[in-house]
């Protein structure tokens, strides 16, 4: 057996030599050795001299090799070309012998035996090929620099077009791919929202979701202070190109907070994860929104990643006119007001996102966001109260106000993966938010008619309010099987609201301002929300189902420090959510049910009285309780070259928070005047049924047309100030947008829309 192995080993070695060196003149010798070894399997020692002799013959006849090197350069740019194909051909037969590619610096090295003439050929797509002769007697050769010229004769263009879907539907949310919208480079984020299904932007630039203005806006799945006060102003200045996608979640799963009656809008910003760095700049001018400029950049090297974004916007002074007529039938009075209103607002925003990937299972991310806006408003207003056709009272009011708002967020997330399942993640998060708001208002009267300065003096109002938030969260998500996955976690939110306000009235005799004790107060509001949630998602064939429960315990401690009055209610809420999706060949059908909660915010709670319009004053109500809403929805979705999303939803609540107004005798220095007093109350029932339609039609590659529309019917009923009110009616909106692609990269876009007036408990 040992002799047999020796023979096989020798045979294999010799065959390899014949393949590698086909011209080596020892074929006959190998044949003789082969026959001899077959006859001498029992005497391997006799073959050793023969094997040694063969090796010596091979050594004496080894063909020497030589190398050829060079470099490929783009003749137009002077830059090296990588991945150029370098081929060595036999000069006579033109048969390819060896092939290699140039490196990143354009260089190449190729080796080949001496004794033959070769052609060295360089070829690259879009460039003319180059060839050079290598003589047979050549030694190591430097072929030099190959200046590759672009080919003049081009191949005919081959276009492969696939429509990237702008809108997609998942079991519990609708996703609008902003980067797939061809207008992403020219629109603001607010303009882009006009095209998103189920969203509306009304004439005052307020955002509505399913016809309602009570919802949450998240940035990358987290609450942000910059969206708490005036999200429209932020989105006006933010370029749409900085957004990756917009998620509209009308049936939020259990992992999301239960706040937001209409649902959640989650804005996913663009953060590239490519190795290296990139910088982008954007600027825009709009005759209404003003000018804005932004810069963004990302850097990634190995385990470390960095993304930065900076924005500055300036909304120019915009003057609008308004008029109000109020008929008071009880005393046959008519209050008329006409005003010219001005507003301008500079703003700035900056964010930094960091990430460090310790390994494939451990990821640490951190972020800091800062937003600042100062809003300057002015009003020149004429007011008159007529009784039986005669003017009984009147004045001219000049008001100047400023509001400085600051939003600051900072937080970190630690994400842990698991070896047993790459889809399972455990995430621990902490986030801090701080949002102070400073308001100053100056009010000066003139042209007084029965509006005495001693009773109704000029006045100044100051309000310092804000909120501090600490959020701690633990989340787990992972599969239980191929079809079943689970989400579970807990969250604690600690909110501290405050409002410290006072009013100074002018003493016309002393020509000095003095503190008005009746209009001075300090208000603090502490809220804690502690929650646990658990949800499951099951995929079975063409069906997907997701359901869960969220338990929230809320504690409240509110105090009027100047009056030594405190309220401290607490309550529990068990929030269910169910989502079903049935997929067909090119469409899907979605059903959802959830219960949502709306806790009153500081504008609804703060007793600060906005008296910038003395006959129409506004204030909050510290006694407002949370509102619970139940929502059902059914949606049909079809995507492709043309897409359609058609849906219906029904929502109802029994303790609706309503903005209500009443005529009250306002007592100032024991002199009474009838004013329109507006505040918030939990009143009766609120039922809404709505139909929505979103169409995107592509008539050709150049021309597309879209429609985003909604029609709602509302029923309201409640008791306020001893009176039973009920109201009902229709309200809706429609936006049409079209685009025509012109040659040479130009395009024309036209957008127009209509938004109807809303329906409230006391009017339209």
């Amino acid at each position: 057996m040992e002799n047999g192995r020796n023979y096989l080993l020798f045979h294999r070695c010799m065959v390899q030599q014949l393949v590698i060196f086909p011209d080596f003149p020892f074929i006959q010798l190998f044949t003789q050795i082969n026959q001899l070894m077959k006859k001498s399997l029992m005497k391997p020692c006799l073959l050793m001299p023969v094997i040694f002799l063969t090796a010596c013959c091979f050594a004496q006849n080894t063909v020497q090799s030589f190398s050829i090197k060079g470099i490929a350069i783009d003749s137009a740019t002077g830059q090296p070309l990588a991945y150029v194909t370098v081929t060595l051909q036999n000069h006579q037969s033109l048969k390819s012998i060896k092939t290699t590619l140039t490196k990143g610096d354009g260089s190449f090295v190729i080796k080949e035996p001496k004794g033959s003439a070769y052609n060295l050929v360089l070829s690259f797509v879009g460039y003319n090929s180059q060839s050079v002769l290598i003589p047979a007697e050549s030694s190591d050769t430097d072929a030099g620099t190959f200046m590759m010229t672009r080919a003049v004769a081009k191949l005919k263009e081959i276009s492969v077009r696939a429509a990237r879907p702008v809108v997609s539907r998942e079991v519990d949310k609708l996703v609008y791919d902003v980067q797939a919208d061809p207008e992403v480079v020219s629109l603001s984020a607010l303009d882009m929202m006009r095209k998103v299904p189920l969203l509306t932007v009304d004439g005052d630039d307020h955002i509505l979701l399913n016809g309602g203005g009570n919802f949450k806006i998240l940035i990358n799945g987290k609450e942000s202070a910059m969206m708490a006060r005036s999200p429209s102003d932020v989105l006006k200045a933010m370029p749409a190109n900085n957004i990756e996608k917009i998620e509209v979640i009308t049936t939020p799963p259990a992992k999301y907070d239960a706040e937001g009656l209409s649902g959640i809008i989650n804005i996913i910003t663009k953060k590239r994860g490519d190795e290296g760095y990139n910088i982008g700049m954007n600027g825009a001018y709009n005759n209404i929104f003003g000018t804005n400029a932004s810069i963004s950049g990302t850097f990634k090297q190995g385990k470390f990643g960095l993304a930065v974004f900076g924005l500055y916007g300036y909304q120019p002074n915009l003057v609008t006119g308004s008029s109000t007529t109020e008929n008071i039938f009880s005393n046959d009075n008519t209050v008329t007001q006409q005003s010219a209103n001005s507003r301008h607002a500079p703003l700035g925003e900056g964010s930094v996102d960091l990430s460090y990937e310790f390994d494939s299972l451990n990821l640490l991310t951190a972020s800091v966001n800062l937003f600042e806006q100062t809003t300057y408003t002015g009003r020149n207003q004429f007011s008159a109260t007529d009784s039986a056709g005669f003017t009984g009272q009147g004045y001219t009011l000049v008001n100047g106000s400023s509001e400085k708002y600051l939003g600051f967020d900072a937080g970190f997330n630690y994400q842990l993966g698991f070896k047993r399942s790459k889809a399972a993640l455990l995430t621990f998060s902490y986030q801090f938010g701080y949002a102070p708001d400073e308001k100053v208002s100056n009010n000066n009267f003139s042209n007084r008619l029965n509006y005495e300065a001693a009773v109704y003096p000029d006045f100044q109002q100051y309000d310092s309010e804000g909120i501090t938030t600490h959020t701690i969260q633990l989340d787990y998500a992972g599969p239980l099987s191929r079809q079943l996955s689970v989400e579970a976690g807990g969250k604690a939110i600690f909110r501290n609201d405050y409002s410290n306000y006072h009013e100074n009235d002018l003493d016309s005799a002393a020509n000095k301002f003095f503190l008005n004790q009746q209009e001075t107060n300090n208000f603090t509001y502490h809220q804690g929300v502690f929650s646990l949630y658990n949800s499951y998602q099951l995929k079975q064939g063409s069906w997907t189902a997701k359901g869960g429960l969220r338990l929230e315990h809320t504690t409240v401690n509110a105090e009027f420090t100047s009056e030594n009055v405190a309220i401290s209610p607490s309550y529990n809420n068990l929030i269910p959510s169910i989502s079903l999706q049935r997929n067909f060949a090119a469409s899907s059908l979605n059903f959802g049910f959830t219960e949502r909660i709306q806790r009153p915010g500081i504008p609804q709670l703060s007793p600060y009285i906005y008296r910038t319009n003395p006959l129409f004053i506004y204030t909050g109500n510290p006694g407002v309780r949370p509102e619970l809403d139940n929502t059902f929805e059914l949606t049909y979705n079809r995507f492709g070259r043309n897409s359609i999303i058609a849906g219906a939803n029904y929502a109802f609540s029994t303790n609706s928070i309503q903005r209500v107004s009443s005529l009250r005798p306002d007592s100032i220095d024991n002199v009474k005047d009838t004013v329109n007093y507006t505040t918030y109350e939990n009143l009766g029932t609120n039922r809404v049924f709505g139909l929505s339609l979103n169409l995107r039609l592509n008539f050709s590659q150049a021309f597309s047309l879209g429609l985003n529309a909604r029609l709602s019917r509302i029923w309201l009923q409640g008791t306020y100030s001893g009176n039973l009110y009920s109201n009902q009616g229709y309200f809706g909106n429609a936006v049409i947008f079209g685009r025509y692609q012109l040659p040479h990269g130009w395009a024309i876009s036209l957008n127009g829309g209509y938004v109807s007036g809303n329906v409230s408990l006391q009017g339209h």
Side-chain angles (χ1 to χ4, degrees):
M1 294 297 294
E2 184 67 20
N3 294 329
R5 284 195 294 269
N6 291 335
Y7 166 72
L8 292 175
L9 179 60
F10 174 80
H11 186 271
R12 185 180 299 125
C13 293
M14 298 308 295
V15 170
Q16 290 176 353
Q17 297 296 338
L18 288 173
V19 173
I20 298 174
F21 300 100
D23 299 327
F24 187 71
F26 61 111
I27 298 178
Q28 295 179 353
L29 177 61
F30 172 73
T31 303
Q32 294 176 6
I33 294 174
N34 188 38
Q35 296 296 328
L36 180 60
M37 194 166 186
K38 287 181 180 180
K39 297 177 182 180
S40 308
L41 290 177
M42 301 301 295
K43 300 177 181 179
C45 59
L46 298 177
L47 295 177
M48 295 303 295
V50 179
I51 297 173
F52 179 76
L53 177 61
T54 304
C56 292
C57 294
F58 172 73
Q60 292 175 1
N61 293 275
T62 299
V63 178
Q64 295 182 356
S65 63
F66 71 103
S67 63
I68 307 171
K69 66 179 182 179
I71 186 170
I73 299 293
D74 187 311
S75 62
T77 65
Q79 298 297 316
L81 291 176
Y83 306 110
V84 175
T85 302
V86 181
T87 305
L88 204 60
Q89 299 176 344
N90 185 284
H91 180 62
Q92 294 181 350
S93 65
L94 300 181
K95 181 179 179 180
S96 297
I97 298 174
K98 188 174 289 187
T99 302
T100 188
L101 297 174
T102 60
K103 300 178 181 178
D105 59 358
S107 65
F108 68 89
V109 177
I110 190 169
K111 293 185 177 182
E112 195 58 30
K114 291 183 178 180
S116 299
Y118 301 102
N119 293 329
L120 183 67
V121 181
L122 276 70
S123 58
F124 196 45
V125 176
Y127 290 79
N128 295 313
S129 298
Q130 293 200 26
S131 177
V132 63
L133 174 64
I134 307 298
E137 296 79 13
S138 298
S139 56
D140 290 346
T141 302
D142 185 351
T145 300
F146 291 84
M147 304 300 293
M148 306 291 289
T149 59
R150 294 185 179 272
V152 177
K154 297 182 179 179
L155 295 175
K156 293 183 178 180
E157 180 179 345
I158 300 176
S159 298
V160 179
R161 295 182 179 270
R164 178 178 173 182
V166 178
V167 184
S168 61
R169 183 77 198 210
E170 299 180 17
V171 64
D172 55 358
K173 61 187 173 184
L174 185 146
V175 181
Y176 192 89
D177 188 345
V178 176
Q179 295 300 310
D181 192 307
E183 292 188 295
V184 64
V185 297
S186 59
L187 294 184
S188 69
L190 186 67
D191 284 329
M192 185 63 71
M193 283 194 167
R194 303 178 194 271
K195 306 170 69 174
V196 178
L198 307 180
L199 297 187
T200 306
V201 180
D202 68 13
D204 293 321
D205 296 328
H206 297 147
I207 303 170
L208 304 176
L209 171 56
N210 263 344
N214 206 323
F215 54 86
K216 283 283 186 180
I217 295 183
L218 306 180
I219 303 294
N220 299 316
K222 304 288 185 181
E223 289 192 50
S224 176
M226 70 179 181
M227 292 294 177
R229 179 63 58 179
S230 181
S232 295
D233 287 338
V234 180
L235 296 172
K236 286 176 189 177
M238 180 184 293
N241 197 35
N242 192 52
I243 298 176
E244 191 72 37
K245 56 186 177 180
I246 299 172
E247 297 178 344
V248 181
I249 311 172
T250 52
T251 310
K255 76 172 184 178
Y256 289 104
D257 294 339
E259 289 184 310
L261 299 184
S262 300
I264 295 172
I265 301 173
N266 187 23
I267 299 174
I268 308 296
T269 58
K270 188 165 62 175
K271 294 181 176 64
R272 297 174 181 170
D274 302 334
E275 193 75 16
Y277 67 91
N278 68 80
I279 298 175
M281 291 181 288
N282 190 85
Y285 170 76
N286 183 292
N287 65 320
I288 301 297
F289 298 163
T291 58
N292 65 76
S294 65
I295 183 170
S296 61
T298 62
F299 172 78
K300 189 175 188 302
Q301 183 174 11
K303 299 180 179 181
F304 177 75
L306 169 68
V308 296
F309 176 75
L311 168 70
Y312 175 78
Y314 183 81
Q315 298 175 16
N317 193 47
L318 182 65
V319 179
T320 59
S322 65
S323 62
T324 302
T325 300
E326 181 181 37
N327 296 310
I328 306 173
F329 299 107
S330 61
N331 56 14
D332 195 25
N333 281 350
T334 300
V335 179
T336 58
Q337 290 189 336
Q338 295 180 342
S339 64
N341 311 298
S342 64
R343 180 184 186 274
H344 67 281
L347 60 88
E349 177 193 348
S351 65
V352 178
D353 293 89
L354 302 169
S355 66
Y356 188 81
E357 188 175 10
F358 296 94
D359 51 43
S360 60
L361 300 179
N362 294 271
L363 174 65
L364 181 65
T365 61
S367 63
V368 176
N369 301 280
L370 181 64
F371 173 78
E372 184 178 15
Q373 177 177 356
T374 302
T375 304
Y376 301 94
T377 57
R379 173 183 294 174
N380 193 331
Q381 174 182 289
F382 170 75
S383 298
T385 302
D386 296 338
S387 180
F390 295 95
T391 302
Q393 186 184 67
Y395 61 85
T396 298
L397 171 66
V398 177
N399 166 262
S401 302
S402 66
E403 179 178 3
K404 184 176 182 180
Y405 177 75
L406 175 69
F408 175 78
D409 299 305
F412 71 89
N413 300 285
Y414 173 68
Q415 183 175 288
L416 175 65
F418 300 88
K419 292 183 179 180
R420 59 178 174 81
S421 175
K422 293 183 179 179
L425 290 175
L426 180 67
T427 306
F428 174 77
S429 306
Y430 168 76
Q431 187 172 13
F432 169 77
Y434 176 57
D437 191 3
E438 304 287 339
K439 302 186 184 76
V440 178
S441 175
N442 292 285
N443 302 270
N444 301 301
F445 296 94
S446 61
N447 301 322
R448 296 172 180 263
L449 175 63
N450 296 326
Y451 206 77
E452 300 299 329
V455 181
Y456 307 102
D458 295 351
F459 63 96
Q460 301 169 337
Q461 283 189 301
Y462 301 87
D463 180 33
S464 174
E465 64 183 39
I467 179 172
T468 302
T469 307
H470 300 269
T471 304
I472 303 172
Q473 188 171 349
L474 183 67
D475 301 283
Y476 172 80
L480 298 177
S481 66
R482 290 186 177 181
Q483 293 80 26
L484 185 64
S485 59
V486 63
E487 292 179 337
K491 188 174 185 179
I493 305 175
F494 304 92
R495 297 187 177 109
N496 298 312
D497 296 12
Y498 65 90
S499 176
N500 304 322
Y501 60 91
H502 66 274
E503 179 178 312
N504 295 333
D505 293 342
L506 178 65
D507 185 333
S508 56
N511 196 27
K512 291 183 180 181
F513 284 92
F514 294 94
L515 181 66
N516 186 334
Q517 294 289 349
Q518 295 181 356
E519 303 298 334
T520 298
N521 211 330
N522 296 328
F523 173 66
T524 59
Y525 185 86
H526 306 284
Q527 181 189 85
V529 181
F530 308 92
S531 56
L532 296 172
Y533 74 89
N534 189 203
S535 66
Y536 297 88
Q537 179 170 310
L538 176 65
K539 291 185 178 181
Q540 193 70 40
S542 57
W543 287 90
T544 302
K546 190 169 187 176
L549 290 171
R550 185 180 185 92
L551 177 63
E552 294 191 344
H553 174 70
T554 305
T555 62
V556 173
N557 183 8
E559 182 179 1
F560 297 90
T561 57
S562 60
E563 298 179 6
N564 197 25
V565 176
I567 54 176
S568 55
S570 63
Y571 46 89
N572 298 310
N573 299 103
L574 185 63
I575 308 297
S577 61
I578 300 173
S579 299
L580 294 173
Q581 183 175 35
R582 173 67 163 90
N583 291 310
F584 302 96
S587 61
S588 67
L589 195 64
N590 287 71
F591 168 79
F593 164 74
T594 187
E595 188 176 72
R596 305 293 294 165
I597 184 172
Q598 180 58 40
R599 299 179 180 89
I602 193 168
Q604 297 168 315
L605 293 169
S606 174
Y608 169 69
I609 298 176
Y610 295 86
R611 299 178 55 85
T612 54
N613 187 346
L615 296 183
F616 294 84
I617 64 177
Y618 302 87
T619 184
N621 179 7
V624 174
R625 304 183 314 276
E627 175 182 348
L628 289 175
D629 239 34
N630 296 274
T631 302
F632 301 84
E633 66 173 2
L634 183 66
T635 308
Y636 172 77
N637 317 275
R638 185 178 183 88
F639 305 111
R641 176 181 175 85
N642 301 313
S643 67
I644 177 173
I645 301 173
N649 78 302
Y650 176 72
F652 69 90
S653 67
T654 57
N655 61 336
S656 172
I657 299 177
Q658 291 287 327
R659 181 172 172 174
V660 290
S661 299
S662 62
L663 296 174
R664 294 189 180 183
D666 182 33
S667 178
I668 300 178
D669 293 337
N670 297 319
V671 177
K672 294 183 178 180
D673 190 19
T674 301
V675 300
N676 191 308
Y677 184 91
T678 300
T679 186
Y680 297 90
E681 294 280 355
N682 292 97
L683 297 175
T685 60
N686 180 356
R687 296 180 293 130
V688 181
F689 176 76
L691 298 173
S692 59
L693 178 65
N694 184 274
L695 294 174
R696 302 183 69 89
L697 306 176
N698 295 286
F699 298 99
S700 66
Q701 293 182 356
F703 179 55
S704 62
L705 194 65
L707 170 69
N708 193 17
R710 179 177 173 83
L711 178 64
S712 297
R713 171 76 172 179
I714 187 170
W715 298 266
L716 296 165
Q717 184 173 335
T719 300
Y720 177 58
S721 295
N723 297 317
L724 176 64
Y725 292 90
S726 63
N727 200 9
Q728 56 184 298
Y730 292 94
F731 63 95
N733 63 274
V735 176
I736 297 177
F737 43 92
R739 177 182 173 87
Y740 188 80
Q741 185 69 46
L742 298 171
H744 309 297
W746 291 91
I748 296 177
S749 298
L750 296 176
N751 306 277
Y754 171 80
V755 181
S756 73
N758 208 334
V759 179
S760 64
L761 181 66
Q762 296 173 299
H764 297 264

